[in-house]
Amino acid sequence: MHDYYLGGAHNFAADRELADGVLRIFPRASELAMTNRFFLRDALRRMHAAGIRQFLDLGAGIPTVGALHAVAQDLDPACRVLAVDREAVVVSRTRALLADNPFADVVQADLRDVDLVLGSAPGRRLIDGEKPLGILVGGVLHFLSESDEPEKAIFDYHREVAPGSHLALSHIVFSRQGDDGCPPGARERIGDLYARSSGALEWRTLPEVARLFGPFSLVDPGLAPLGCWRTGEYVADSASPPLPAVAGLARKR
């Protein structure tokens, strides 16, 4: 579905049918997906500017429009990127697409299984635990409920990575004031669609999303509306209508 929202070609009829259902309820879903991609690309560039040359893309999906391994290796061909996804078909396609790339690979794992992710053969080959790591988890944690303990997973990664590592995180959000850019009733209807297919959505408040960063320390501009990254760069005074999502970049000190 995410690939379809981005205009990619790696999707199936069932994905398109469900995504079209979401678009009928919330026509800005494709805009949200593209803006999330802008955020992740900008966050990766900031990590690179901070000296990071290895990246972990959690819940990566099939490499599609603006794939993060391509962004990283455009900056430096020697950048190493490990993608993580739990879906077998995603991993199979990704592995085929990355077959000729010695500095990018994929591992099939639940992103919460930190030992499996970092201890896998691709993880050991691509990631140096003594050097800072850039972790990107864009639009993924809202598929985990509180019982799935997403905050614990972030704590586990924080424990394992070197000082100077960064975390980029984006998440859908709702405001009790109704100013989050989501039409009345849309959250419930979209949630019903996802619950019948890929899994339920967890709409968290801004403070709840902030807690997901765990011991990582947010850096400027902090946890901000996702729409501020709509041009591929952070624009604090963006006059565009709000999108129901927020994003932030944080660092391990």
Side-chain angles (χ1 to χ4, degrees):
M1 290 174 65
H2 188 252
D3 176 78
Y4 180 63
Y5 291 142
L6 292 172
H10 300 287
N11 51 74
F12 299 97
D15 303 319
R16 296 189 287 274
E17 181 180 356
L18 182 57
D20 284 337
V22 173
L23 287 164
R24 284 192 291 271
I25 300 168
F26 182 57
R28 299 181 70 195
S30 289
E31 179 189 351
L32 192 153
M34 188 62 71
T35 305
N36 184 61
R37 180 65 58 174
F38 286 147
F39 160 69
L40 291 171
R41 294 173 70 174
D42 184 58
L44 190 149
R45 292 188 184 102
R46 293 179 184 218
M47 293 176 184
H48 180 270
I52 294 175
R53 298 295 183 270
Q54 53 181 5
F55 302 92
L56 182 63
D57 187 3
L58 297 175
I62 297 171
T64 184
V65 180
L68 294 180
H69 77 275
V71 176
Q73 292 174 350
D74 280 346
L75 294 168
D76 181 345
C79 279
R80 298 169 181 266
V81 183
L82 179 64
V84 178
D85 205 282
R86 67 182 182 183
E87 299 290 344
V89 65
V90 169
V91 172
S92 176
R93 284 196 171 205
T94 302
R95 188 167 288 132
L97 290 167
L98 298 178
D100 297 326
N101 191 328
F103 298 132
D105 207 339
V106 61
V107 60
Q108 183 175 358
D110 187 311
L111 66 85
R112 296 171 295 167
D113 193 341
V114 179
D115 291 339
L116 175 58
V117 169
L118 298 180
S120 65
R124 295 193 305 273
R125 180 173 68 85
L126 292 174
I127 295 176
D128 182 346
E130 300 300 316
K131 296 179 180 178
L133 177 67
I135 304 171
L136 301 115
V137 54
V140 177
L141 295 187
H142 47 237
F143 290 105
L144 300 181
S145 68
E146 290 306 296
S147 64
D148 292 320
E149 300 184 302
E151 190 174 345
K152 178 182 181 300
I154 300 301
F155 269 88
D156 290 344
Y157 282 109
H158 184 275
R159 182 189 65 240
E160 295 297 330
V161 299
S165 294
H166 283 58
L167 168 71
L169 188 156
S170 59
H171 196 292
I172 58 174
V173 70
F174 81 92
S175 166
R176 292 189 174 90
Q177 285 71 46
D179 56 355
D180 54 17
C182 202
R187 278 189 297 270
E188 292 77 10
R189 294 166 65 196
I190 293 171
D192 288 343
L193 284 175
Y194 274 96
R196 294 201 302 266
S197 56
S198 57
L201 290 172
E202 189 78 15
W203 294 84
R204 293 181 169 93
T205 63
L206 187 63
E208 288 170 339
V209 176
R211 286 198 292 272
L212 292 176
F213 285 87
F216 286 92
S217 301
L218 282 162
V219 301
D220 184 67
L223 188 56
L226 184 65
C228 290
W229 274 272
R230 61 180 294 112
T231 62
E233 298 292 339
Y234 179 73
V235 181
D237 59 351
S238 174
S240 301
L243 288 165
V246 292
L249 181 64
R251 180 177 183 271
K252 178 175 179 176
R253 301 193 182 281

